[in-house]
Amino acid sequence: MNILVCDDDLSIANSIAEYIKNKFKHKVFDSINREDALIITHSEKIDLLIIDIVLKDDNGIFLAEDIQKIQPDIKIIFVTGYGNEYYENIYKHITPQGFLEKPIQYNILNFFIKQAENELKKKTAKLIISYDFKKYLITINDILYIQSSKRVCEIITNNKTYRCYKKLSDFPKELPEYFARCHQSYIINTKYIASFQLGQFTMTNGAIIPISDSYAKDVKNLYLMNFGG
């Protein structure tokens, strides 16, 4: 992973960065202000941002939000010396990976990094299917939705539709948490939802996906959690 550490206290930023380099061997960038952080974000693919909530002459929450606009898939860990004072305000803007309170507890940082590693592996993971005596490897993150019709499931990506003989109920255990069953015949990738209307989702490719009552609550909660409605 590529990790960006942003803290206006250079000693803390360096300490976190060195720890991650030594413990996990990831590539780590560090910054002490908005300008440096945005320069790095525009020039490098960053998978995980570790940022202080209170920066000198700046607001770490708003900076994290600006960085997330540039890199929508970035995971964010907030560092705070103020307990849970800012938690409610954060969740109005961002769903963070977690929080680190000062002084830094590195066992908690370890947990968050391993969690981010696992999620990144899922994004780059492949789904293996077979159809007409051929095997296909599909990048899971490219899947828009999966549709079941009788005994055949169709896996729709931006570029291609794949088919396989498989039950729709067999897919969830192979997919990341941002996939959701929304109907007896559909599983959707919530990252590709363009809009939500009563009883249906519109996907980024224009497909209209129905939402059945039995799945409505869970799938709408997942959508709202990721996109804020």
Side-chain angles (χ1 to χ4, degrees):
M1 289 194 302
N2 286 345
I3 300 173
L4 172 59
V5 180
C6 184
D7 196 305
D8 57 1
D9 186 326
L10 185 58
S11 64
I12 293 177
N14 286 340
S15 177
I16 294 174
E18 287 303 313
Y19 176 82
I20 295 171
K21 288 176 187 176
N22 294 331
K23 177 76 174 179
F24 294 94
K25 312 303 180 185
H26 294 309
K27 188 172 183 179
V28 185
F29 304 87
D30 54 60
S31 64
I32 59 172
N33 56 45
R34 169 179 287 268
E35 183 181 1
D36 291 344
L38 291 177
I39 288 172
I40 294 168
T41 305
H42 278 290
S43 61
E44 302 285 346
K45 174 68 174 72
I46 302 297
D47 302 296
L48 177 63
L49 170 65
I50 302 174
I51 185 167
D52 197 348
I53 291 175
V54 180
L55 299 170
K56 184 179 180 181
D57 301 325
D58 206 343
N59 183 312
I61 301 170
F62 295 152
L63 176 54
E65 189 176 20
D66 290 341
I67 289 173
Q68 193 172 57
K69 289 175 183 176
I70 299 167
Q71 304 213 25
D73 292 332
I74 198 169
K75 299 294 182 183
I76 300 170
I77 296 171
F78 285 105
V79 179
T80 176
Y82 299 89
N84 61 5
E85 180 179 343
Y86 291 89
Y87 288 10
E88 183 178 350
N89 191 37
I90 286 172
Y91 281 101
K92 292 178 182 177
H93 302 269
I94 291 169
T95 301
Q97 182 88 14
F99 297 89
L100 280 174
E101 293 191 6
K102 296 179 182 179
I104 303 300
Q105 298 180 52
Y106 286 96
N107 61 322
I108 296 176
L109 177 60
N110 285 349
F111 171 80
F112 288 143
I113 291 177
K114 289 176 182 177
Q115 191 178 56
E117 287 176 337
N118 289 335
E119 291 183 13
L120 185 61
K121 286 177 183 176
K122 287 180 181 179
K123 284 183 181 180
T124 56
K126 306 287 185 180
L127 181 69
I128 303 173
I129 62 167
S130 298
Y131 189 72
D132 283 347
F133 306 104
K134 293 181 181 179
K135 281 193 174 181
Y136 299 91
L137 290 175
I138 308 169
T139 301
I140 288 176
N141 208 42
D142 291 342
I143 299 171
L144 278 72
Y145 61 94
I146 303 171
Q147 177 179 359
S148 174
S149 177
K150 296 181 180 179
R151 294 176 54 244
V152 177
C153 280
E154 292 187 340
I155 301 164
I156 289 83
T157 71
N158 275 315
N159 301 316
K160 190 173 181 180
T161 296
Y162 301 86
R163 292 175 176 83
C164 65
Y165 295 111
K166 196 170 184 176
K167 293 180 181 178
L168 198 67
S169 58
D170 291 336
F171 283 99
K173 60 180 176 289
E174 302 178 64
L175 300 171
E177 69 286 343
Y178 50 84
F179 280 81
R181 184 90 176 254
C182 65
H183 186 275
Q184 184 178 354
S185 301
Y186 290 91
I187 292 175
I188 59 169
N189 183 342
T190 59
K191 292 181 178 291
Y192 290 104
I193 295 173
S195 64
F196 163 68
Q197 297 168 320
L198 185 62
Q200 66 184 40
F201 288 115
T202 301
M203 308 302 287
T204 54
N205 68 341
I208 305 297
I209 307 296
I211 306 170
S212 63
D213 291 342
S214 56
Y215 296 101
K217 182 178 179 181
D218 289 341
V219 73
K220 282 191 282 189
N221 284 343
L222 181 60
Y223 171 72
L224 292 171
M225 183 179 71
N226 284 300
F227 300 98

